[in-house]
Amino acid sequence: MSGNMNLTLKVWRQKNGGSKGELVTYPVSDISPDMSFLEMFDVLNDQLVTEGKEPIAFDHDCREGICGMCSMHINGHAHGPKDQVTTCQLHMRSFKDGDTIVVEPWRAAAFPVVKDLVVDRSSFDRIIAKGGFISVNTGNAKDANNLPIPKVDADKAFEAAACIGCGACVATCKNSSAMLFVSAKVAQLSLLPQGKAEASQRVLNMVAQMDEEGFGSCTNTGACEVECPKGISIQNIAIMNKEYLKASVVSEQEAQ
Amino acid sequence: MSKLDSKIPEGPLDKKWEKYKSSVPLVNPANKRSLEIIIVGSGLAGASAAASLAEMGYKVKVFCFQDSPRRAHSIAAQGGVNAAKNYQNDGDSVYRLFYDTIKGGDYRAREANVHRLAEVSGNIIDQCVAQGVPLAREYGGMLSNRSFGGTQVQRTFYAAGQTGQQLLLGAYSALQRQVGLGNVELFARHEMLEVVTIEGKARGIIARNLITGKLERHFGHAVLLGTGGYGNVFFLSTNAMGSNVTAAWKAHKKGAFFGNPCYTQIHPTCIPVSGDHQSKLTLMSESLRNDGRIWVPKKIEDSVAIREGRKKAIDIAEDDRDYYLERRYPAFGNLVPRDVASRAAKERCDAGFGVNKTGEAVYLDFASNMKYKYGKQVAIVKGIHNPTEEQLHAFGKEVVKEKYGNLFDMYKQITGEDPYEMPMMIYPAVHYTMGGIWVDYNLMTTVPGLYALGEANFSDHGANRLGASALMQGLADGYFVIPYTIGAYLSGDIRTKAIPTTHEAFEAAEKEVQARIDKFFAIKGSKPVDYFHKKLGKIMWDKCGMARNEAGLKQAIVEIQQLQKDFWADVRVSGEANELNPELEKAGRVADFLELGELMCVDALHRVESCGGHFREESAETSGEQEGEAKRDDANFMYVGAWEYKGPNTFELHKEELKYEVIKVSQRSYK
């Protein structure tokens, strides 16, 4: 079922990390308002392949807003115009016939462009590897209900843990800061009793790695929270700052 | 080798695993450090295995095609994870979880494997909580449970509608911890394209670096596949776009038998197809069936009027609605197992009662519970004795929002309709594959040293999987089974030094992969990869989907073989091999799906019985209370069909007889 929308896309094309990129204009026609934004890209890519041209590379996987792989900067907004919606869940009914849509990759020093709209977010994995965990080996756990956790704390921890690691916060921040991403993990684990034992070491190590990766500092503009597709709160940043201060003052343990 | 040895330990069922654990050979810590294990896939099974094996001291390499291991498709699981904790004091036990799983699987799973799964289920919850996974809790601080289909107890643990995400992030954290400690080497954006075997044993893989396009050789004393299911053979499914069968299929072609490929789970509650542009389907969690009633109009003219836009659901009077699940299955009603619910929806739509433009949708209606269950409760609490319909709706809406808000929002975002005001429209869609690589009790395939974990193997769900059991199985395999069972193999391999990847077997495997890549580019055909994938999907859905018959399956095999020829003659793969090239990746995956699709039809054709998700129209009850229901043929088909690859379009069947020593086999009845 084809639709009746005709649009003009201006899409960032870049051969690879080492080359210079540019915006290239593509007209697309017969777009159905029921299509998702990425399905519109599928249509365009099929068209490009059929014409013997190279399709546009973009990251995507689950297409239901949970894996965090899709990452388009659409008309100046990470994940496009709608609140709390990932690129893959954005539908064409959110646009009007005749619109011009500009699509760019995430822009941040710590997220180098790989090709077209694809960026390298492995810096996030390296930050988690420095402390985004509780050090418990398989088989060491006691019965789960031996550790009652107040529902309020569990719910707060869950809200922080709902981060999908897409990087929209970084792409949105004028300083390319990763504070929202890092703080969501720090807050989740520090809110739970299981995470307290290594809380100091965790926050110091993760922040050190964040700095090493080249993410910018936080200047409290709050843009990250506005654009986050999962509504992760900047309260987490406050929690992390508190944890960091506490760890710096109290802990004798240096970041390893 | 025609005899399949499942290596099930001797002894009474409930003592097998315990005895196995205390008698399996161990590998001492010094030797572990020189043993290398390759793990392909970073979902629940792969990530949990990688973390656990690395903690034990093995040298582990993890490969995933996504940009981060955290994105594996386990992340999208919504509903929950089962465990026989009996925290609700409602009579649950290891035996009951074991029994429900075997029955739900329509008596086509192995008793010993499923019992082990039930035994370790409780440990999974303990482990995840210790890792900081924020599972839902009650006000007293204890863990909360909900109920799922096919059971009479509340044993499902959950984290809102994002249980898979939370469990996977727990396993991912444990994995990243080992990466940070240097015990795991991570290869993201790498796709496994071949298994390397030396002297009959799996000794490594060929992987393509998806960024540079370079082919890499990696040695391992053992190779573990945690690469998920193959639902995307249908093109449209609830799987992620990248989910594929390639790793499993390469293993199959290198000697790993493929078990029960035709067992596919078609999930009853998904958002219907809206048009040809559609790239994937989205699940609406099974938990919705707790509060939603499924119906279509009783009168066909009403369905026609709805399809033509002249009527809406709310225009159909209560007496003119056919709550067909409640009508056909009064004992279980809307909570019958997935295979039964899916077939019932298809039956109504095929008869012309479908309610959307395509005629392939039924209603999932929350109005009555929203108003008369939850709305009334709230009204009573508020002291309103004669609430208006509007008040009931408003009160009930708030309760439903708290329970299912994220799912309702997702529905609205995709369809543009508000499910609080209108009933949802749903239709069955491909969701999970019970079939997979055949493994023995140790999770080892028919290739020594090659293992399959999680959805990638065939072992625990028989012919139909119960809700909230996939997460349980993935984590059981990775955290609690493989760490023991791999010792049985590696303890005999401690004298094997790492084999240099200059070995001729690596050389040959890499050449094979390179030749396949070159071939794709050489075709220079006229049609994009998706064109063939969509065609395959349509053949599979029409002829090897919810209902199958002999004529259709035979025809499907002919059509698929023709499509294979067309693909290799006319596919167009753009771009180059030495760069990030999603079209090339898709081409390789679709080439494998085209071969798998044929095998699925071959398997479905040979199994002339109906069981679980496999419904053969020739094998249905023809009379009595069960008329029209699936009819198993235990006398002739109580076995696992394991297929050996014998060259292009040729597969040989091997049978593993299923023996039920503890459970009494009977017909599943949900009437």
Side-chain angles (χ1 to χ4, degrees):
Chain A
M1 184 182 63
S2 58
N4 47 13
M5 293 172 77
N6 297 313
L7 303 155
T8 305
L9 294 177
K10 289 177 184 280
V11 183
W12 186 260
R13 302 298 312 257
Q14 185 172 335
K15 180 85 181 149
N16 55 48
S19 61
K20 204 167 167 287
E22 58 173 348
L23 283 171
V24 178
T25 304
Y26 300 97
V28 286
S29 48
D30 299 330
I31 297 299
S32 159
D34 288 333
M35 279 183 193
S36 73
F37 198 78
L38 296 184
E39 283 164 354
M40 177 197 57
F41 264 76
D42 293 341
V43 170
L44 172 59
N45 273 348
D46 265 8
Q47 196 180 304
L48 291 173
V49 172
T50 310
E51 290 166 2
K53 294 178 187 154
E54 198 171 341
I56 301 157
F58 61 92
D59 265 334
H60 66 109
D61 200 24
C62 78
R63 295 205 180 185
E64 45 190 91
I66 194 75
C67 78
M69 194 138 169
C70 62
S71 51
M72 292 183 185
H73 215 250
I74 302 163
N75 285 344
H77 292 277
H79 293 302
K82 298 205 77 171
D83 283 350
Q84 300 206 13
V85 168
T86 55
T87 299
C88 66
Q89 292 283 285
L90 180 64
H91 280 64
M92 296 314 294
R93 67 181 81 90
S94 300
F95 297 89
K96 290 193 305 290
D97 185 30
D99 275 358
T100 296
I101 307 171
V102 181
V103 186
E104 291 177 89
W106 284 174
R107 302 280 188 198
F111 288 167
V113 172
V114 172
K115 182 179 182 177
D116 297 340
L117 302 171
V118 176
V119 299
D120 178 356
R121 287 169 286 189
S122 54
S123 44
F124 273 11
D125 290 327
R126 289 189 292 272
I127 293 171
I128 296 294
K130 286 292 175 185
F133 47 75
I134 287 170
S135 296
V136 53
N137 283 1
T138 302
N140 284 344
K142 59 180 180 177
D143 188 89
N145 261 356
N146 278 347
L147 182 70
I149 298 173
K151 187 177 186 319
V152 186
D153 294 345
D155 286 351
K156 264 195 202 155
F158 169 74
E159 281 164 25
C163 165
I164 57 174
C166 65
C169 47
V170 175
T172 297
C173 177
K174 65 180 177 128
N175 308 318
S176 299
S177 167
M179 286 287 272
L180 192 64
F181 168 78
V182 179
S183 70
K185 188 51 69 180
V186 167
Q188 176 206 338
L189 299 178
S190 67
L191 284 162
L192 297 169
Q194 305 94 302
K196 300 236 188 276
E198 52 192 332
S200 300
Q201 205 180 324
R202 174 183 307 118
V203 69
L204 294 174
N205 287 348
M206 288 178 78
V207 169
Q209 186 65 30
M210 175 176 84
D211 291 343
E212 193 173 308
E213 295 289 349
F215 291 103
S217 303
C218 175
T219 49
N220 296 312
T221 66
C224 52
E225 181 187 67
V226 174
E227 292 289 353
C228 173
K230 295 294 150 183
I232 304 296
S233 163
I234 51 170
Q235 276 184 15
N236 292 305
I237 297 181
I239 294 174
M240 179 162 90
N241 284 338
K242 187 189 83 183
E243 289 290 326
Y244 189 81
L245 185 66
K246 205 163 67 180
S248 310
V249 174
V250 177
S251 172
E252 294 168 5
Q253 206 161 15
E254 297 268 307
Q256 286 170 352
Chain B
M1 62 182 241
S2 67
K3 197 164 180 311
L4 289 164
D5 182 1
S6 56
K7 301 213 173 76
I8 295 169
E10 293 298 315
L13 185 64
D14 58 349
K15 295 283 181 287
K16 284 181 196 288
W17 180 234
E18 211 180 304
K19 189 164 161 263
Y20 179 101
K21 283 196 292 182
S22 49
S23 57
V24 67
L26 301 174
V27 179
N28 87 38
N31 286 331
K32 283 195 186 109
R33 280 195 287 276
S34 58
L35 289 169
E36 301 178 34
I37 299 172
I38 284 176
I39 298 178
V40 186
S42 64
L44 288 175
S48 59
S52 305
L53 294 169
E55 287 162 10
M56 292 163 73
Y58 293 110
K59 281 170 76 177
V60 177
K61 285 181 175 178
V62 171
F63 296 80
C64 66
F65 69 80
Q66 298 92 344
D67 73 328
S68 162
R70 67 179 289 151
R71 316 227 191 266
H73 192 54
S74 305
I75 202 141
Q78 297 171 353
V81 54
N82 288 330
K85 280 287 198 185
N86 194 29
Y87 282 164
Q88 303 305 323
N89 194 29
D90 54 3
D92 200 8
S93 65
V94 166
Y95 183 83
R96 279 191 197 276
L97 173 52
F98 156 72
Y99 176 81
D100 288 343
T101 306
I102 293 271
K103 180 190 173 193
D106 216 356
Y107 306 95
R108 290 292 176 266
R110 228 186 249 154
E111 274 192 338
N113 284 54
V114 177
H115 199 276
R116 176 177 65 189
L117 176 67
E119 284 175 62
V120 304
S121 64
N123 301 119
I124 294 171
I125 303 304
D126 301 340
Q127 185 63 32
C128 293
V129 166
Q131 287 171 342
V133 173
L135 293 171
R137 289 184 182 262
E138 308 289 353
Y139 281 100
M142 299 295 151
L143 288 161
S144 175
N145 291 114
R146 56 166 64 141
S147 43
F148 257 65
T151 67
Q152 290 167 311
V153 295
Q154 288 193 308
R155 64 160 74 99
T156 306
F157 295 78
Y158 63 98
Q162 291 151 252
T163 317
Q165 180 200 26
Q166 294 308 315
L167 295 179
L168 182 64
L169 293 181
Y172 160 77
S173 288
L175 167 63
Q176 288 303 113
R177 173 175 162 240
Q178 294 303 316
V179 171
L181 292 170
N183 300 328
V184 173
E185 208 179 335
L186 182 63
F187 297 86
R189 292 204 199 262
H190 276 64
E191 181 164 24
M192 186 205 109
L193 293 177
E194 199 52 88
V195 180
V196 179
T197 55
I198 298 174
E199 289 163 9
K201 292 177 173 173
R203 289 301 189 193
I205 62 168
I206 305 295
R208 182 168 177 270
N209 178 327
L210 299 180
I211 301 293
T212 63
K214 201 176 162 313
L215 297 182
E216 298 173 5
R217 305 170 186 184
H218 294 275
F219 165 81
H221 287 85
V223 176
L224 276 53
L225 304 182
T227 50
Y230 48 86
N232 271 348
V233 68
F234 290 87
F235 185 72
L236 286 179
S237 81
T238 64
N239 285 5
M241 299 302 286
S243 300
N244 68 81
V245 78
T246 288
W249 196 250
K250 301 304 184 204
H252 175 55
K253 290 174 89 169
K254 278 279 154 77
F257 293 4
F258 213 104
N260 301 329
C262 79
Y263 291 166
T264 317
Q265 177 156 85
I266 315 244
H267 197 294
T269 55
C270 301
I271 299 177
V273 176
S274 72
D276 293 337
H277 58 264
Q278 201 139 357
S279 60
K280 78 153 275 159
L281 297 171
T282 304
L283 176 73
M284 288 284 107
S285 169
E286 179 160 314
S287 57
L288 292 173
R289 280 198 275 150
N290 281 301
D291 281 314
R293 297 176 75 192
I294 294 177
W295 64 276
V296 292
K298 265 183 197 164
K299 298 180 197 153
I300 204 149
E301 58 267 29
D302 282 341
S303 288
V304 173
I306 290 170
R307 286 202 292 272
E308 291 172 355
R310 288 182 281 113
K311 277 188 180 176
K312 290 199 164 104
I314 42 170
D315 301 328
I316 311 298
E318 192 59 32
D319 284 348
D320 291 330
R321 300 178 176 193
D322 176 14
Y323 295 93
Y324 58 87
L325 287 177
E326 296 168 32
R327 167 170 61 78
R328 286 180 66 180
Y329 308 101
F332 279 70
N334 292 295
L335 274 169
V336 290
R338 293 174 176 178
D339 52 340
V340 177
S342 291
R343 276 197 293 278
K346 176 177 161 40
E347 190 275 330
R348 281 294 81 192
C349 292
D350 287 353
F353 292 91
V355 294
N356 71 349
K357 275 182 282 184
T358 66
E360 291 193 333
V362 299
Y363 290 125
L364 176 59
D365 197 338
F366 299 88
S368 85
N369 270 11
M370 191 149 67
K371 281 195 216 162
Y372 306 117
K373 183 175 165 193
Y374 299 122
K376 230 173 209 167
Q377 277 172 3
V378 176
I380 289 167
V381 172
K382 286 181 185 278
I384 302 171
H385 296 298
N386 290 308
T388 61
E389 287 286 304
E390 285 73 27
Q391 280 177 316
L392 287 175
H393 182 269
F395 295 155
K397 184 176 168 179
E398 286 313 305
V399 179
V400 169
K401 204 177 230 172
E402 206 186 303
K403 289 172 88 101
Y404 310 114
N406 66 328
L407 297 169
F408 275 52
D409 292 347
M410 185 152 59
Y411 182 88
K412 191 177 177 191
Q413 188 54 35
I414 292 171
T415 63
E417 282 190 8
D418 182 358
Y420 292 107
E421 306 302 325
M422 308 273 285
M424 282 185 182
M425 282 193 277
I426 51 149
Y427 198 68
V430 175
H431 179 58
Y432 185 89
T433 50
M434 283 72 69
I437 303 175
W438 185 91
V439 290
D440 63 16
Y441 190 74
N442 296 318
L443 305 182
M444 199 197 279
T445 69
T446 46
V447 176
L450 181 65
Y451 293 79
L453 284 68
E455 191 180 351
N457 75 29
F458 87 105
S459 75
D460 292 355
H461 307 296
N464 175 57
R465 179 175 66 74
L466 289 182
S469 285
L471 304 186
M472 173 173 66
Q473 188 221 339
L475 290 178
D477 285 0
Y479 282 133
F480 298 109
V481 178
I482 197 73
Y484 285 97
T485 61
I486 204 164
Y489 177 74
L490 290 180
S491 58
D493 221 22
I494 51 175
R495 283 176 198 84
T496 308
K497 294 251 174 337
I499 300 170
T501 54
T502 47
H503 187 284
E504 58 186 19
F506 280 96
E507 190 91 22
E510 188 185 317
K511 264 194 187 147
E512 222 178 299
V513 174
Q514 188 60 54
R516 220 154 34 220
I517 291 171
D518 294 344
K519 201 169 160 189
F520 284 129
F521 287 111
I523 298 166
K524 296 193 195 316
S526 66
K527 297 191 177 70
V529 178
D530 277 355
Y531 168 86
F532 298 96
H533 196 177
K534 284 180 184 172
K535 279 203 135 181
L536 173 66
K538 180 149 175 48
I539 298 170
M540 295 300 294
W541 181 246
D542 289 346
K543 302 191 171 84
C544 195
M546 272 188 283
R548 300 138 181 209
N549 63 54
E550 185 183 343
L553 289 164
K554 282 184 171 161
Q555 165 121 38
I557 292 168
V558 173
E559 289 176 22
I560 292 170
Q561 288 178 349
Q562 184 57 46
L563 192 61
Q564 291 167 354
K565 290 195 187 99
D566 295 348
F567 174 84
W568 286 105
D570 198 24
V571 72
R572 180 175 194 97
V573 180
S574 50
E576 291 159 35
N578 62 352
E579 60 174 356
L580 177 65
N581 189 338
E583 287 295 308
L584 175 63
E585 294 164 29
K586 276 198 286 186
R589 293 166 192 167
V590 171
D592 292 331
F593 278 136
L594 281 163
E595 296 180 14
L596 166 79
E598 182 182 350
L599 177 61
M600 288 170 71
C601 293
V602 168
D603 186 42
L605 179 63
H606 113 279
R607 190 170 280 277
V608 194
E609 67 157 349
S610 296
C611 60
H614 170 64
F615 184 73
R616 277 292 294 265
E617 288 168 352
E618 299 92 333
S619 187
E621 299 288 347
T622 50
S623 61
E625 198 197 21
Q626 299 286 337
E627 189 178 343
E629 299 297 326
K631 186 177 168 189
R632 274 201 335 264
D633 178 357
D634 291 338
N636 293 305
F637 291 99
M638 195 127 90
Y639 62 78
V640 175
W643 298 87
E644 181 180 6
Y645 182 78
K646 301 290 265 186
N649 310 100
T650 318
F651 307 94
E652 187 184 316
L653 177 66
H654 301 264
K655 297 176 183 176
E656 179 201 339
E657 300 299 329
L658 291 167
K659 296 187 197 77
Y660 291 93
E661 291 167 359
V662 173
I663 280 187
K664 192 174 162 292
V665 177
S666 63
Q667 184 181 16
R668 276 195 317 168
S669 172
Y670 296 97
K671 293 276 181 191

